[in-house]
Amino acid sequence: MRAIIFVVVMGVLGALLKARRANARETPDGYVLEYTQAWRWMALGGLLLPLMGLLAVLAAGHVPRTPGDWKAFAGIVGFFLVLGGWLTLETYRRRFRLLPEGLAVRTPWSSEQVLPWAQLSDVRARPVWQELELRFGRHKVGLSRYLSGLESLAEALRRYAPAQVSSPDALHVVLAHAGTTPAQMLAPRRPSARSWVDSLRDATGYEYEAVTDAFEPRFTRWVASWPVVCVLPMGEEARGAHLEPLLASLLRRDLGVAGPVSVLGGEETGMLTFRELIEHLEQPDAEPLRWKHVAAVGCEVRDDTVTLRGRLWSVEALSAPRDFHVQGRGEDLGALTAELAARFAQALELFPAPAAQARWREGRPRSLQALEATARACDANDVAWLGRALATGEAHPDALALVELDGHGAEGEAALLAAAAADPSDAQLCFLYFIRLWKGQGRDSAAARALVAGLQAAPGHGKSQMCLAHMFEQMPRNAERILAHAEAGERLLPGNPYAVSNFLDYLHRYAPRDPRRDRLIERMLAEGPDHPATLRTAMDFYIERGEAPRALQLARHFEQLCTPPVSPEVLYALRQNPVMAAALDAGELTPLDEARRCVAICEEAVRKQSN
């Protein structure tokens, strides 16, 4: 009998766990964590059914006859009233709301109060009580394992909570409590009924057959939490050092396909070599690094022997690097680069899957001589030779990530296509090809296929995540995907003004009341007050908020930056917009014209706000 009762109870509890919803219920007042209707019916049943049974016994004439019988009867009635009543109040009256400013808590015995996320200091599981405990200063809040919406709680912690309780490890505690492993939560989900690929095809008329279901918003949000590794050439004086930029680009590609990590190169960090990084850190006013790890690759050639040296630092402990090297013949350079990537992956605890390891056998340098020829072409910016050599396999594809393609037109496009075809697992090459083609019209289908192919191989490629938001904007009713990819780009490209500006732009369009906008604007102005992307985004923000004079002040500063002679940095920033880049190339627009247009808009806003 006891075994039967145990099996029944466990079965009921299992069914209640299965009935939970992963996401919180959305209401005008926020996202609500609550018990399911099955739990509420069970609570009412636990209160009413035993009492109805006891009343039936009394109605049948089985009345207690002695004082002891009456005491036992009263004890049974009182037990079920207290237990059932408490359970009913708990399931019907306890409620949690997820707000941008904090967690709103209401209990059966108290009115609602909002506990700010900034005060959250700890998140821990209490297995005995089957609940999750959140500590807000002196307040402790217990959330039952049977609540619906615990995955939404994990998302709220990731967005709003302090770093120590929004790290991947802390979020995994919440997910485990929700009965969802990270792998289950982050695995792509099949779309229901109508595929969003069909929606895209209907909306645009382009065939985006390369787009798959792999980019679900919750998968993208997980990618946004991946650690960031910066890969740089060593930059030391040695024979073979001229090969280091190519080797660093190849290592960046190899680590990107290895597992949950985002890998940046020197062009995204402002540090072209590791020696420059060390010089930066030695300055008294040096800004702290925003990456979790720094990886450097060096090369030394003696006769036909090649030595590849690797060095890996944790940003928290730069004084304790890990060094390793691989050595072999020049004709075996491809195998040596794959072995070096494996050493770095092991040090980073990536543990790549067999499919990722198979990609390390693709896109390898044919030999030391071939790589040296490619390096010479890079130094001379010989795009024509690279295009021909890529078609025959003589050049290495990563060369196209290191040369300047502006002004090469169809020749540069053909070279990029040859490079991407030679190594389709290189997310950076696929991204560059996307940028070359993406105009928001006409040839977007080929551009989209290139971008998605790179992201399927390396989901942590920050620039591709950022640009995928542009592609999804072609689809109707797709704000969740757009914001997820824009935020992933901002998180995976720390300190990149374009990524922050891109995310702010989409927040303005799809979530104008999101409190992150204010924090991001202030951070942008503090980190890059002279960057065109920062200034233009801040202008729009302050005009919208009714602070046109401050927007005009920024526009005047932008005008000064665009007054000839214009610095290469400003020109590069303006050319990140493909439409503006085309206008600049055609001579239809100058940087100063664009700056004066912004000034005129801000002056008009000042006049309207002053009237």
Side-chain angles (χ1 to χ4, degrees):
M1 187 64 181
R2 292 179 180 178
I4 294 176
I5 294 175
F6 176 79
V7 170
V8 171
V9 170
M10 291 298 101
V12 170
L13 292 178
L16 292 173
L17 280 174
K18 192 173 181 180
R20 296 175 308 173
R21 297 185 305 274
N23 297 315
R25 179 169 60 90
E26 184 176 0
T27 70
D29 298 326
Y31 291 87
V32 178
L33 277 68
E34 59 191 356
Y35 290 96
T36 62
Q37 198 62 39
W39 248 111
R40 292 176 175 177
W41 281 112
M42 195 199 75
L44 277 177
L47 173 66
L48 299 177
L49 290 179
L51 294 179
M52 292 174 63
L54 291 172
L55 290 175
V57 170
L58 292 175
H62 300 287
V63 180
R65 302 186 183 279
T66 65
D69 292 341
W70 277 108
K71 290 180 181 179
F73 182 79
I76 294 173
V77 172
F79 172 79
F80 282 110
L81 281 175
V82 171
L83 180 62
W86 173 83
L87 194 58
T88 302
L89 287 172
E90 173 73 16
T91 54
Y92 277 89
R93 293 290 300 165
R94 183 177 292 275
R95 193 176 76 153
F96 303 93
R97 286 192 299 128
L98 303 175
L99 306 173
E101 59 270 23
L103 178 66
V105 182
R106 187 192 73 184
T107 71
W109 304 276
S110 65
S111 58
E112 186 176 77
Q113 62 174 328
V114 178
L115 303 175
W117 295 118
Q119 296 180 9
L120 182 60
S121 59
D122 191 21
V123 177
R124 64 180 62 185
R126 300 179 67 192
V128 174
W129 297 100
Q130 293 288 288
E131 71 175 15
L132 192 71
E133 184 179 88
L134 278 63
R135 297 192 177 187
F136 295 83
R138 294 178 300 171
H139 296 276
K140 296 181 182 179
V141 178
L143 289 89
S144 170
R145 186 182 181 187
Y146 296 93
L147 284 168
S148 289
L150 290 176
E151 287 188 13
S152 297
L153 172 64
E155 172 63 14
L157 294 179
R158 187 186 66 80
R159 286 193 178 193
Y160 307 120
Q164 70 271 17
V165 288
S166 60
S167 66
D169 291 340
L171 297 183
H172 289 175
V173 173
V174 181
L175 299 181
H177 183 73
T180 306
T181 66
Q184 289 172 332
M185 178 182 175
L186 309 171
R189 286 183 176 175
R190 293 287 174 185
S192 59
R194 180 173 169 80
S195 169
W196 54 266
V197 177
D198 295 332
S199 301
L200 180 60
R201 185 178 293 115
D202 293 345
T204 66
Y206 305 136
E207 294 292 330
Y208 283 87
E209 64 271 13
V211 181
T212 71
D213 300 334
F215 303 110
E216 282 291 323
R218 63 178 189 169
F219 175 81
T220 304
R221 287 191 286 268
W222 176 54
V223 172
S225 70
W226 287 3
V228 178
V229 180
C230 175
V231 176
L232 299 172
M234 198 76 77
E236 297 178 353
E237 298 295 333
R239 185 176 173 232
H242 63 294
L243 302 177
E244 290 178 0
L246 275 170
L247 293 170
S249 183
L250 179 57
L251 178 63
R252 168 185 177 166
R253 174 263 195 211
D254 289 342
L255 293 181
V257 303
V261 67
S262 176
V263 191
L264 305 181
E267 78 284 355
E268 292 160 328
T269 63
M271 307 294 174
L272 298 181
T273 68
F274 178 72
R275 291 183 66 183
E276 293 181 5
L277 175 64
I278 295 299
E279 292 171 1
H280 165 76
L281 293 176
E282 290 175 347
Q283 297 176 5
D285 57 345
E287 296 182 3
L289 301 180
R290 298 184 178 92
W291 326 302
K292 187 169 184 179
H293 299 284
V294 178
V297 58
C299 178
E300 186 172 353
V301 179
R302 291 184 179 179
D303 299 326
D304 192 41
T305 300
V306 180
T307 302
L308 302 183
R309 293 178 289 111
R311 180 167 287 180
L312 180 68
W313 290 263
S314 167
V315 170
E316 292 83 3
L318 281 175
S319 58
R322 299 183 62 176
D323 293 305
F324 31 84
H325 72 276
V326 294
Q327 191 175 68
R329 296 178 302 172
E331 61 190 41
D332 298 327
L333 185 59
L336 294 178
T337 57
E339 184 179 350
L340 183 68
R343 296 281 189 90
F344 270 105
Q346 183 179 13
L348 290 167
E349 299 182 351
L350 294 180
F351 309 114
Q357 296 181 38
R359 291 192 174 105
W360 288 347
R361 295 190 288 273
E362 303 169 354
R364 298 297 99 185
R366 293 177 60 180
S367 65
L368 175 62
Q369 290 72 24
L371 195 66
E372 287 183 323
T374 304
R376 287 192 294 270
C378 288
D379 293 339
N381 209 61
D382 192 343
V383 176
W385 182 89
L386 287 171
R388 294 191 301 270
L390 282 166
T392 60
E394 298 175 45
H396 190 263
D398 276 308
L400 270 295
L402 302 175
V403 296
E404 178 58 56
L405 294 175
D406 287 340
H408 286 277
E411 185 178 65
E413 185 177 311
L416 260 179
L417 179 59
D423 188 5
S425 297
D426 193 321
Q428 180 70 4
L429 291 177
C430 293
F431 163 76
L432 292 174
Y433 190 60
F434 167 84
I435 289 296
R436 194 80 179 179
L437 297 183
W438 180 261
K439 305 296 181 186
Q441 58 185 356
R443 300 175 62 193
D444 291 350
S445 178
R449 283 196 294 270
L451 187 73
V452 171
L455 271 174
Q456 286 174 325
H461 192 264
K463 287 186 176 179
S464 297
Q465 287 285 354
M466 178 175 67
C467 290
L468 199 58
H470 305 331
M471 196 185 76
F472 280 131
E473 202 172 21
Q474 304 293 318
M475 298 163 51
R477 299 179 301 278
N478 210 43
E480 185 182 9
R481 290 180 186 275
I482 293 170
L483 290 176
H485 289 293
E487 184 178 11
E490 186 269 329
R491 284 175 168 254
L492 298 176
L493 297 167
N496 186 313
Y498 306 114
V500 182
S501 174
N502 183 68
F503 185 34
L504 278 167
D505 183 45
Y506 284 122
L507 283 175
H508 170 69
R509 279 186 260 175
Y510 298 107
R513 298 177 60 186
D514 195 303
R516 289 174 292 179
R517 292 183 68 204
D518 290 27
R519 296 196 297 268
L520 287 170
I521 284 287
E522 296 302 328
R523 198 187 81 195
M524 281 181 70
L525 290 173
E527 294 177 352
D530 294 331
H531 199 284
T534 297
L535 296 172
R536 296 180 67 184
T537 302
M539 287 179 224
D540 295 337
F541 176 79
Y542 287 120
I543 288 176
E544 176 202 345
R545 209 164 70 169
E547 299 182 29
R550 187 170 183 185
L552 180 59
Q553 182 181 5
L554 296 174
R556 298 282 188 202
H557 182 49
F558 182 41
E559 185 180 26
Q560 292 176 358
L561 295 175
C562 292
T563 301
V566 183
S567 70
E569 291 78 15
V570 171
L571 284 173
Y572 178 81
L574 293 174
R575 294 182 64 85
Q576 296 309 295
N577 183 321
V579 176
M580 185 170 294
L584 292 172
D585 290 339
E588 301 170 356
L589 184 72
T590 68
L592 189 56
D593 293 337
E594 176 63 17
R596 286 173 175 169
R597 185 186 70 83
C598 293
V599 170
I601 292 173
C602 293
E603 287 176 339
E604 179 65 21
V606 170
R607 284 193 293 270
K608 287 182 178 179
Q609 292 180 14
S610 60
N611 291 335

